[in-house]
Amino acid sequence: KAAVDVIGGRVGKSGGGFIQFMLLTLTAGSQLTIAPYLFGVVAFVGLAWLGAVKGLSKLYNAKVAPMQPLTSSPLLSMSMKDSITKRE
């Protein structure tokens, strides 16, 4: 995890600098003139990140679902009731 954090942070900073450099070069403007374009880039990356999180959530839930105990099973609840009534 640490390697991903370090590499991801450095790639993110480099990528952000590269995007700003390219926009400043192409528009020959200032940071204020490229702000609307940067907003579009940030919005796109944010939406892509949300889509990735949603996809990972589906994959994770599909893997974890078979491992969870069957608490809503009628057989399990009947056996629990039987063990409670036997103790009384």
Side-chain angles (χ1 to χ4, degrees):
K1 182 185 178 313
V4 172
D5 288 343
V6 170
I7 292 172
R10 291 184 184 196
V11 169
K13 287 179 184 179
S14 299
F18 180 74
I19 290 171
Q20 282 188 357
F21 171 74
M22 291 304 294
L23 286 173
L24 286 170
T25 303
L26 293 173
T27 62
S30 67
Q31 287 184 339
L32 287 176
T33 58
I34 65 169
Y37 302 110
L38 289 176
F39 175 77
V41 170
V42 169
F44 174 76
V45 170
L47 291 173
W49 178 75
L50 286 174
V53 168
K54 188 174 182 180
L56 285 173
S57 174
K58 286 181 183 178
L59 291 173
Y60 175 77
N61 289 333
K63 289 277 187 182
V64 172
M67 292 185 245
Q68 293 183 355
L70 301 173
T71 56
S72 62
S73 171
L75 296 175
L76 182 61
S77 61
M78 287 178 65
S79 65
M80 291 175 82
K81 288 178 187 177
D82 292 341
S83 65
I84 293 171
T85 54
K86 288 179 183 176
R87 289 183 187 170
E88 294 176 352

